[in-house]
Structures are given as structure tokens and as C-alpha cells.
């Protein structure tokens, strides 16, 4: 059998090789189309979400999880790299895994739509290190993107937030659980937050079950090929959700994008300070605790709804 650039030469499974090449080619086509659209839309400042998208996400997440101002959940997933070059194995291997991996950082909403993906960093890094290198909050610092203001417990906040686990920093746009809740209010909040945060875990599970190539050790020899494969699977995953009519947000070419011109450097410094403000983080968490306690009934919301159809 002729050697194949995607799989290692020891692989003799023709079906896997065919599927791998198909995913790779799909990734190349889809990503080239995305890049062309970005170049065409660069002048008008193309963004991930429009103002309408933000409001629809707010309404869906508050109705399902009880969290006003929630944009989604953020977390990281490791993909084992079987064919990692020997010289790189130390860089891509973390002690608790024992084998080379490549990290995917992603944000998913309740419908499992993946809004943000950042893939390719070595598996030896922690989620916190990945966050510092990703561009997820670039629009916040630059002052671009749609208006994401919301109100909770009578207090207005400028930016929506993501649910995350305890390793993430105490920023104004991240809401974490309370590790040792002392009273019923905080216990209720912790239970709701941990249940709602399962959205991203479910998205990873569905992604790997839908695309078996992601559930198996990767056999590509270069990070670029791994990125093509991962992004192709994510794009196809989102296309399926939209085609089945399960997406929360609908595409509207006339929807407002918000501010598209980056602010000046001094304002960017202020935005960065506001983003990493732990005081705002603490106030937001406390307001959410009160909101959950006063407005949300305790029901079985462990994310079981729709799991069968999501698979």
C-alpha cells in the first residue's frame, strides 16, 4: 500500500485512511472558505456574535439554566497525539496523562453550538495557560463587537460571562462555582452552576461520538494537519446543528454587529483592567447567588434534556 501523508505508514486500515483523508480535505475546503469570507468582511469588522445573537443566548440560557447574562461555558479538551515526534513528546505530555496530547479550548452554548475554538497548544499546558494565549477576549479589550449589557438583581453589568471550573481566573467575564458553600443559597448556586457548565462537556462528548476520529489517538505527523481535522469536525458539527433546526441563534445578514473600530491604546488598557477585575467578579457572583435563590426553582436540570437527540 502506498504511504499516506495523513496516517503513519504502519496503518493498514483502508477505511480509516479514507475517512481521515476525507476529513482533512473537508477541513481544507471549509477553512479556506472561512478565510476568504474573513478577508472580504475584514473591512466591516466581522464578529462571532451579533447583538441579536447575544440577546437570544441570554434568553435561552436564563430560561434553561436560570443564569441571566450567560453566553456559554468554556473548557478544554485533550486529543491524544499518537504520532507525536520523539523530540516533542516532553513538550506535549502532561504528567497526569502520560502520553502526548494537543489541547482544544472551546465555548459552547446550551444547544451545543461551538462559538469559539482554539486548538494546537501542547498538552503539557494547563487550561489557564491556554486561556492567556487564546483570543477569546480580544473583542473585549479592543472595545469591538456587539453590546452585551445585562442586568441581574437590579445591577447592570457591561459584559456577558462564561461558566467555568475552578482553575480559571476570577475575571469579570467568568463565573465559577463555590467550592465549599456554607449556606443553602450558595449550595443552590453551586449546584446550578455545575449543572449548567455541563453544556461544554456534553459538546465535547457529542463531538467525539459524532466524529470517531477525535475519539482515537491522532496519527498525523504535523500540528497543522491536526488543526485542519479538528476545525473541520467543529464546522461540520455546527452545520449539522443548524441543519437540524436545533440552533438557538438564526443567521440574519442585516443584524447589527456593534462597534467595529478598535478603541485607542489607553482605552484598551482600561478595558483589560476591567476584564480582569476580581472585585467585579465577586460582585457578579454574589448577585447571581441572590438571583438564583429568589427566582429559580430547584428542578432536575442536570442537562439530561435532549441528550439522546444531541447524540
Amino acid at each position: 500500500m502506498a504511504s499516506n501523508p495523513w496516517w503513519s505508514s504502519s496503518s493498514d486500515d483502508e477505511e480509516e485512511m479514507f475517512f481521515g483523508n476525507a476529513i482533512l480535505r473537508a477541513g481544507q475546503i471549509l477553512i479556506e472558505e472561512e478565510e476568504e469570507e474573513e478577508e472580504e468582511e475584514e473591512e466591516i469588522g466581522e464578529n462571532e456574535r451579533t447583538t441579536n445573537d447575544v440577546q437570544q443566548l441570554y434568553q435561552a440560557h436564563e430560561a434553561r439554566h436560570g443564569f441571566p447574562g450567560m453566553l456559554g461555558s468554556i473548557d478544554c479538551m485533550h486529543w491524544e497525539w499518537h504520532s507525536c515526534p520523539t523530540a516533542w513528546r516532553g513538550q506535549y505530555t502532561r504528567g497526569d496523562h502520560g502520553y502526548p496530547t494537543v489541547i482544544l479550548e472551546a465555548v459552547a452554548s446550551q444547544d451545543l453550538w461551538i462559538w469559539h475554538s482554539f486548538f494546537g497548544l501542547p498538552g503539557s499546558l494547563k487550561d489557564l495557560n491556554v486561556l492567556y494565549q487564546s483570543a477569546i477576549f480580544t473583542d473585549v479589550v479592543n472595545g469591538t463587537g456587539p453590546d452585551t449589557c445585562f442586568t441581574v438583581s437590579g445591577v447592570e453589568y457591561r459584559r456577558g460571562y462564561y461558566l467555568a471550573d475552578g482553575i480559571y481566573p476570577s475575571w469579570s467575564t467568568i463565573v465559577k462555582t463555590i467550592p465549599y458553600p456554607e449556606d443553602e443559597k450558595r449550595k443552590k448556586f453551586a449546584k446550578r452552576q455545575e449543572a449548567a457548565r455541563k453544556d461544554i462537556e456534553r459538546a465535547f462528548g457529542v463531538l467525539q461520538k459524532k466524529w470517531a476520529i477525535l475519539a482515537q489517538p491522532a496519527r498525523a505527523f504535523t500540528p497543522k494537519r491536526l488543526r485542519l481535522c479538528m476545525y473541520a469536525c467543529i464546522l461540520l458539527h455546527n452545520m449539522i446543528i443548524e441543519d437540524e433546526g436545533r440552533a438557538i441563534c438564526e443567521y440574519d445578514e442585516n443584524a447589527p454587529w456593534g462597534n467595529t473600530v478598535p478603541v485607542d491604546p489607553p482605552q484598551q488598557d482600561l478595558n483589560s483592567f476591567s476584564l480582569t477585575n476580581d472585585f467585579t467578579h465577586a460582585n457578579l457572583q454574589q448577585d447571581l447567588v441572590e438571583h438564583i435563590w429568589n427566582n429559580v426553582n430547584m428542578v432536575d436540570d442536570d442537562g439530561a434534556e435532549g441528550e439522546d437527540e444531541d447524540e
Side-chain angles (χ1 to χ4, degrees):
M1 182 180 297
S3 61
N4 189 289
W6 171 256
W7 302 101
S8 58
S9 57
S10 61
S11 175
D12 57 357
D13 190 332
E14 295 185 3
E15 291 185 0
E16 287 190 10
M17 292 176 65
F18 175 80
F19 182 72
N21 283 324
I23 287 291
L24 179 61
R25 181 54 184 161
Q28 292 173 330
I29 294 173
L30 291 171
I31 292 174
E32 286 174 2
E33 291 179 354
E34 290 283 324
E35 291 176 348
E36 289 177 1
E37 291 179 2
E38 287 178 1
E39 291 176 358
E40 293 175 358
E41 296 173 349
E42 188 174 7
E43 296 180 358
I44 61 174
E46 193 269 339
N47 293 279
E48 289 185 346
R49 302 181 183 91
T50 66
T51 302
N52 292 345
D53 291 339
V54 170
Q55 296 306 317
Q56 291 173 3
L57 288 173
Y58 283 173
Q59 294 173 8
H61 287 145
E62 184 170 9
R64 181 67 178 89
H65 299 308
F67 282 88
M70 174 184 168
L71 292 170
S73 303
I74 183 172
D75 205 355
C76 290
M77 180 187 82
H78 289 254
W79 187 15
E80 182 179 350
W81 191 5
H82 178 272
S83 299
C84 177
T86 303
W88 294 357
R89 294 185 74 86
Q91 180 183 3
Y92 281 82
T93 303
R94 202 169 75 183
D96 57 340
H97 288 155
Y99 48 80
T101 61
V102 187
I103 302 176
L104 167 68
E105 177 191 76
V107 168
S109 49
Q110 194 274 330
D111 57 355
L112 306 188
W113 184 281
I114 296 177
W115 290 92
H116 161 81
S117 59
F118 176 52
F119 178 79
L121 290 185
S124 60
L125 300 179
K126 295 182 179 180
D127 295 3
L128 195 61
N129 306 123
V130 178
L131 177 69
Y132 291 150
Q133 299 186 51
S134 74
I136 185 172
F137 294 124
T138 299
D139 60 336
V140 175
V141 175
N142 291 338
T144 58
D147 179 17
T148 60
C149 293
F150 69 97
T151 301
V152 55
S153 297
V155 181
E156 183 177 85
Y157 290 88
R158 292 179 55 195
R159 303 179 182 92
Y161 56 85
Y162 303 103
L163 301 187
D165 57 27
I167 195 174
Y168 281 84
S170 298
W171 289 359
S172 63
T173 52
I174 293 177
V175 171
K176 302 186 290 183
T177 188
I178 301 175
Y180 304 104
E182 299 177 352
D183 55 26
E184 293 302 319
K185 283 186 179 181
R186 286 164 178 77
K187 288 180 181 178
K188 183 177 180 180
F189 169 83
K191 182 177 181 179
R192 301 286 303 198
Q193 195 273 356
E194 291 163 9
R197 191 168 54 82
K198 289 181 181 178
D199 290 345
I200 184 62
E201 303 295 346
R202 291 171 55 226
F204 288 150
V206 170
L207 193 66
Q208 289 179 314
K209 186 172 183 179
K210 188 174 294 180
W211 309 107
I213 194 170
L214 301 182
Q216 302 173 1
R219 301 182 186 180
F221 285 104
T222 64
K224 180 179 179 180
R225 289 182 178 272
L226 294 179
R227 283 195 296 271
L228 285 172
C229 181
M230 177 62 73
Y231 289 142
C233 291
I234 291 173
L235 288 169
L236 293 170
H237 166 82
N238 285 348
M239 289 169 64
I240 291 172
I241 292 177
E242 183 178 20
D243 183 66
E244 293 178 348
R246 294 188 287 113
I248 293 175
C249 303
E250 297 182 359
Y251 177 72
D252 182 4
E253 61 181 6
N254 298 318
W257 292 101
N259 181 38
T260 59
V261 180
V263 296
D264 54 19
Q267 184 60 47
Q268 291 184 15
D269 293 339
L270 293 175
N271 291 343
S272 180
F273 174 79
S274 177
L275 169 67
T276 59
N277 192 327
D278 56 353
F279 182 74
T280 304
H281 169 86
N283 286 343
L284 174 59
Q285 185 183 71
Q286 182 58 38
D287 288 336
L288 287 172
V289 168
E290 295 295 331
H291 176 83
I292 296 293
W293 178 255
N294 294 323
N295 299 282
V296 180
N297 296 324
M298 290 300 293
V299 294
D300 182 13
D301 63 343
D302 292 337
E305 180 183 87
E307 283 189 352
D308 293 338
E309 65 178 9
D310 290 333
E311 293 177 357

